[in-house]
Amino acid sequence: MQTPYNTPGALGWHELTSNSCEDAFSFYGAVFGWTFKTMQTSHGPYHIIENEGEKIGGIAPNPCPEQESHWTSYVTVKDVDEVAIKVISLGGELLYGPEDIPEVGRLCWIKDPQGAIIAAITYHKADK
């Protein structure tokens, strides 16, 4: 079955890097009816966004509080390392990774030559 998590080029995961996770829970919970489950990672707490029981994204504390809160989308790819090499060869910038995230997959954050940021990910389990 094709899903955004096993289809190269599909947008599958959306992540908010927030200066106030609690405020984000209140706002997005009221606006969209989302619920949140917190898990601990090696980088600190990570909050899974659920919509009607389906995991659709996450919220993480902003590691750079001087930067505004922002959303990042993740594009599913076959090989994150290949994407990272291609980004650099095309004049983009590798901002983070490639890095393995236990029980999730391998990801990197990239900036295109115009300054827009997006992430690429290869999931360990395509069905999530």
Side-chain angles (χ1 to χ4, degrees):
M1 180 170 119
Q2 292 291 94
T3 72
Y5 306 106
N6 65 14
T7 305
L11 290 167
W13 191 258
H14 307 281
E15 186 172 79
L16 174 62
T17 303
S18 178
N19 287 330
S20 175
C21 294
E22 294 298 324
D23 288 345
F25 301 156
S26 296
F27 181 80
Y28 291 108
V31 171
F32 298 122
W34 291 346
T35 58
F36 310 92
K37 292 187 178 169
T38 301
M39 59 185 280
Q40 292 301 319
T41 71
S42 61
H43 297 287
Y46 188 80
H47 313 283
I48 302 295
I49 303 168
E50 291 189 351
N51 185 53
E52 297 184 7
E54 183 179 342
K55 297 174 184 175
I56 62 167
I59 298 176
N62 195 344
C64 302
E66 64 278 358
Q67 193 177 55
E68 290 186 17
S69 298
H70 57 278
W71 284 94
T72 303
S73 295
Y74 286 75
V75 178
T76 302
V77 299
K78 288 183 181 181
D79 186 327
V80 167
D81 295 282
E82 244 177 54
V83 167
I85 292 166
K86 191 177 287 186
V87 164
I88 293 167
S89 74
L90 294 171
E93 184 180 341
L94 194 57
L95 299 177
Y96 177 83
E99 180 175 311
D100 290 317
I101 304 298
E103 299 180 34
V104 175
R106 187 162 175 80
L107 62 86
C108 68
W109 281 32
I110 61 175
K111 184 189 291 188
D112 73 19
Q114 291 76 44
I117 297 171
I118 197 161
I121 187 166
T122 302
Y123 294 96
H124 289 314
K125 288 194 225 171
D127 63 352
K128 276 194 38 122

